[in-house]
């Protein structure tokens, strides 16, 4: 009888350890696997996507530009934001992050406003966190030019444009900048 009780206790301990290992795997490893998998998808899309932007046209503290996110293999939407930084940031434009608030309006090719959405985190293509916090972005289609209108322009600023893609996790798949033509 004593052996049976010891065996039941041993089985219970083994089952508890197994449950702990499964719980650890699901709570810690699974999100990392999903992040890595979605980063690979975003990286593949980024490698086939080109971002075209026209010159920044300014008028009394605001600026506008035409942007197209081109990828003939894609038919869905991407998220887009734009913000101003001083021209001296041009050499490190890949490192600058948007302000928490921005007065951006995006218009589709048919003249209608693009749908806005709120992003909570944006990662780079290696899975590193680029932006942590709420970020207002706009959903625009691949392969269709859109007009971005941004307020807050100061002479000498350049407009930085981020293009983001994701389903679950959001990744910056492209960025560029443009300035006032000379």
């Amino acid at each position: 009888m004593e052996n049976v009780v010891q065996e039941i206790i041993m089985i219970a301990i083994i089952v508890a350890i197994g449950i702990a290992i499964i719980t650890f795997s699901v709570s810690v490893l699974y999100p990392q696997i999903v992040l890595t998998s979605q980063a690979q998808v975003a990286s593949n899309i980024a490698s086939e996507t080109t971002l075209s932007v026209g010159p920044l046209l300014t008028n009394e503290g605001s600026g506008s530009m035409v942007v197209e996110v081109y990828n003939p293999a894609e038919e869905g939407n991407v998220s887009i934001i734009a913000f101003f930084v001083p021209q001296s940031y041009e050499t490190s434009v890949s490192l600058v992050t948007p302000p928490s608030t921005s007065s951006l309006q995006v218009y589709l090719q048919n003249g209608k406003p693009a749908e806005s959405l709120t992003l909570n985190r944006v990662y780079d293509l290696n899975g590193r966190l680029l932006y942590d916090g709420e970020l207002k972005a706009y959903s625009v289609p691949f392969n269709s030019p859109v007009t971005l209108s941004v307020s807050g322009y100061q002479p000498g600023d350049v407009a930085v444009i981020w293009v983001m893609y994701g389903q679950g996790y959001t990744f910056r798949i492209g960025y560029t900048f443009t300035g006032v033509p000379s």
Side-chain angles (χ1 to χ4, degrees):
M1 184 72 163
E2 201 173 289
N3 284 342
V4 172
V5 172
Q6 287 177 346
E7 286 180 21
I8 291 174
I9 291 172
M10 186 61 83
I11 290 171
I13 290 172
I14 291 171
V15 168
I17 290 172
I19 290 172
I21 290 171
I22 290 170
T23 302
F24 173 77
S25 298
V26 168
S27 65
V28 174
L29 298 178
Y30 182 72
Q32 187 60 40
I33 291 168
V34 171
L35 176 68
T36 303
S37 173
Q38 289 186 11
Q40 183 61 47
V41 170
S43 182
N44 291 343
I45 290 171
S47 69
E48 298 172 358
T49 300
T50 56
L51 180 58
S52 301
V53 61
L56 177 63
L57 306 175
T58 60
N59 184 19
E60 297 180 14
S62 63
S64 65
M65 69 217 87
V66 175
V67 175
E68 182 177 10
V69 183
Y70 183 74
N71 184 334
E74 294 296 324
E75 294 180 2
N77 286 4
V78 291
S79 302
I80 195 166
I81 60 169
F83 54 96
F84 291 118
V85 296
Q87 190 172 11
S88 60
Y89 285 44
E90 278 184 20
T91 57
S92 57
V93 75
S94 66
L95 303 174
V96 296
T97 57
S100 57
T101 59
S102 172
S103 54
L104 171 66
Q105 294 295 319
V106 179
Y107 299 95
L108 303 174
Q109 192 173 13
N110 61 8
K112 293 183 179 178
E115 177 186 343
S116 68
L117 53 108
T118 302
L119 306 174
N120 291 314
R121 289 186 172 157
V122 179
Y123 295 87
D124 69 9
L125 293 174
N126 294 316
R128 290 187 295 260
L129 191 61
L130 280 176
Y131 189 88
D132 189 11
E134 287 194 353
L135 184 62
K136 184 177 179 182
Y138 291 85
S139 179
V140 300
F142 278 102
N143 312 315
S144 179
V146 295
T147 302
L148 281 61
S149 178
V150 189
S151 296
Y153 173 78
Q154 300 292 321
D157 282 355
V158 293
V160 178
I161 298 98
W162 277 17
V163 176
M164 296 153 294
Y165 177 85
Q167 298 169 342
Y169 291 98
T170 304
F171 298 90
R172 183 182 71 178
I173 62 168
Y175 63 90
T176 190
F177 67 93
T178 187
V180 176
S182 6

